[in-house]
Amino acid sequence: MNAPDDPYEAYAQWAVAKGDATSVAGTPPAQRVSPRRLPRRPASGLDERWTSIDDNDIFYRESQTHAVASTMMHVHGFGLSGRYLLPTAELLGSEFHTFVPDLPGYGRSSKPRSPLDVPHLADAAARFLDDRGVERATLVGNSMGCPVICEFAHRHPDRIDRAVLVSPAGGIHNQPLGRAMVQLARDGAREPSRMIRVATSDYLRFGVPSTVRLFRTLTRYPSLERLLALRIPTLVVVGDRDPLMPGPERIREVASLTDNHVLVVVIEGAAHAINFSNPGELAHVIRSFMADRPIIDDPDSPGVTRAYEIHRGTLPPPPPERPHAA
């Protein structure tokens, strides 16, 4: 069931009242009208807005920090909207010019005529930044958002400063679909109950046919190849209770396959949706990574959980730029 403030549900009710329900249920998604109504209750302290990209209405959230801050865009996972990324995004919103869009076909954003695969989602993310007048950004993704970021870096290497890949699922460990569904069920029992409520409404909006089609495209996507080819500072964050990810030792083994810029961090006690369940710890790790500081446990969260490095690539991040002499 859609959430009570779902703009599409409001339109459907209006269409029924007008005697035009068939035009809602019987036409392709791209032809459905998507009124630009904001939620009745903001989900975070970020501003909630609409824009249009490629004839699709795009719902997004934006921080009020603009002037001198570098830009950070948060990219959601499989079948979900950006809503579950907000706890971490909001904590970082005062330090970075922050965007959290619902990509086309997800959340409140309208559906394109054909579902977007990973390369097209990466292009849509680039066009969103174009629309917002952003030349370069750091991208923070969760789950399927991580392959989208890797593809973004492959297709638009001049547009990305750094990559933060949180629980980068979508590889062979999650195949076939039945195995992935079992992993998701196990993960659901390890996430906060509030996350289940958010995910359920998002998955229902996304729909079963879209889920099957997108999973098939993910099985063909060269996730590992793209990850190891990254030539920008890259942070990978995993939870040691995440059933959708291999164990930390296997992740360290994979990250060691080549010289790279990859830094791998484990958050103890975290499952898959770290951006939602452990926002304080994740925001602390991201801040340290962005400042090129060692990853140490968050002193503001003593005894809650622990974050620690398990791999640091042989290619260090570039040194901070020094001011030019007068």
Side-chain angles (χ1 to χ4, degrees), residues 25 40 55 67 92 99-100 113 136-137 205 227 234 273 310-311 317-318:
R40 288 179 294 184
D55 297 324
L92 297 169
F99 291 98
V100 189
R113 294 184 180 276
R136 295 177 63 91
R205 291 182 190 182
L227 172 62
T234 302
I310 62 170
H311 171 81

Side-chain angles (χ1 to χ4, degrees), residues 196-281:
I196 306 307
R197 292 196 294 271
V198 170
T200 299
S201 66
D202 282 348
Y203 281 136
L204 289 176
R205 291 182 190 182
F206 191 61
V208 173
S210 297
T211 297
V212 174
R213 282 192 295 264
L214 183 57
F215 185 82
R216 287 173 179 166
T217 68
L218 280 172
T219 62
R220 296 191 292 267
Y221 183 73
S223 297
L224 181 58
E225 175 186 331
R226 290 285 191 265
L227 172 62
L228 296 179
L230 289 173
R231 290 295 177 265
I232 54 174
T234 302
L235 170 65
V236 175
V237 183
V238 297
D240 67 350
R241 299 185 68 241
D242 183 357
L244 283 94
M245 294 293 298
E249 288 303 318
R250 174 58 180 162
I251 293 171
R252 176 162 51 189
E253 178 184 341
V254 170
S256 303
L257 290 176
T258 182
D259 289 344
N260 53 53
H261 295 277
V262 176
L263 167 65
V264 183
V265 173
V266 173
I267 295 182
E268 283 185 347
H272 192 64
I274 300 174
N275 310 59
F276 186 91
S277 61
N278 297 79
E281 293 83 356

Side-chain angles (χ1 to χ4, degrees), residues 6-279:
D6 183 359
Y8 176 68
E9 178 179 307
Y11 173 69
Q13 293 171 351
W14 174 85
V16 169
K18 296 281 288 183
D20 191 26
T22 20
S23 69
V24 179
T27 57
Q31 298 177 26
R32 294 174 180 167
V33 177
S34 177
R36 294 183 168 197
R37 294 180 57 184
L38 295 175
R40 288 179 294 184
R41 294 180 297 275
S44 72
L46 304 183
D47 293 335
E48 297 179 334
R49 296 172 176 164
W50 288 94
T51 189
S52 182
I53 300 172
D54 300 334
D55 297 324
N56 290 302
D57 288 332
I58 302 298
F59 179 74
Y60 70 100
R61 304 92 175 159
E62 180 179 5
S63 68
Q64 298 178 4
T65 299
H66 295 188
V68 296
S70 59
T71 300
M72 181 174 286
M73 181 168 69
H74 298 251
V75 184
H76 56 72
F78 190 100
L80 296 168
S81 70
R83 187 165 42 154
Y84 80 105
L85 304 177
L86 293 177
T88 297
E90 188 172 16
L91 289 177
L92 297 169
S94 62
E95 301 159 66
F96 304 95
H97 185 186
T98 299
F99 291 98
V100 189
D102 291 352
L103 294 175
Y106 297 80
R108 297 180 180 275
S109 295
S110 61
K111 295 180 181 291
R113 294 184 180 276
S114 299
L116 304 186
D117 58 11
V118 171
H120 288 103
L121 287 170
D123 288 343
R127 286 193 291 274
F128 173 80
L129 292 178
D130 290 340
D131 180 75
R132 298 295 85 211
V134 175
E135 183 177 349
R136 295 177 63 91
T138 289
L139 271 59
V140 179
N142 173 260
S143 195
M144 184 205 70
C146 300
V148 172
I149 291 174
C150 290
E151 185 66 16
F152 184 104
H154 176 71
R155 297 166 78 91
H156 310 282
D158 58 332
R159 307 292 305 277
I160 182 168
D161 288 320
R162 295 184 178 221
V164 179
L165 311 179
V166 184
S167 308
I172 193 170
H173 183 72
N174 308 123
Q175 302 169 20
L177 179 58
R179 182 181 188 184
M181 293 300 101
V182 171
Q183 292 168 339
L184 282 170
R186 290 175 57 202
D187 181 64
R190 302 177 184 184
E191 301 288 357
S193 58
R194 292 177 294 113
M195 176 63 198
I196 306 307
R197 292 196 294 271
V198 170
T200 299
S201 66
D202 282 348
Y203 281 136
L204 289 176
R205 291 182 190 182
F206 191 61
V208 173
S210 297
T211 297
V212 174
R213 282 192 295 264
L214 183 57
F215 185 82
R216 287 173 179 166
T217 68
L218 280 172
T219 62
R220 296 191 292 267
Y221 183 73
S223 297
L224 181 58
E225 175 186 331
R226 290 285 191 265
L227 172 62
L228 296 179
L230 289 173
R231 290 295 177 265
I232 54 174
T234 302
L235 170 65
V236 175
V237 183
V238 297
D240 67 350
R241 299 185 68 241
D242 183 357
L244 283 94
M245 294 293 298
E249 288 303 318
R250 174 58 180 162
I251 293 171
R252 176 162 51 189
E253 178 184 341
V254 170
S256 303
L257 290 176
T258 182
D259 289 344
N260 53 53
H261 295 277
V262 176
L263 167 65
V264 183
V265 173
V266 173
I267 295 182
E268 283 185 347
H272 192 64
I274 300 174
N275 310 59
F276 186 91
S277 61
N278 297 79

Side-chain angles (χ1 to χ4, degrees), residues 283-325:
H284 170 73
V285 169
I286 292 174
R287 288 189 195 100
S288 300
F289 168 70
M290 296 296 291
D292 294 328
R293 297 195 301 263
I295 306 299
I296 59 174
D297 197 28
D298 186 357
D300 294 329
S301 302
V304 176
T305 188
R306 185 167 70 99
Y308 56 93
E309 295 183 16
I310 62 170
H311 171 81
R312 180 177 285 271
T314 57
L315 302 175
E321 291 186 7
R322 296 186 178 181
H324 296 290

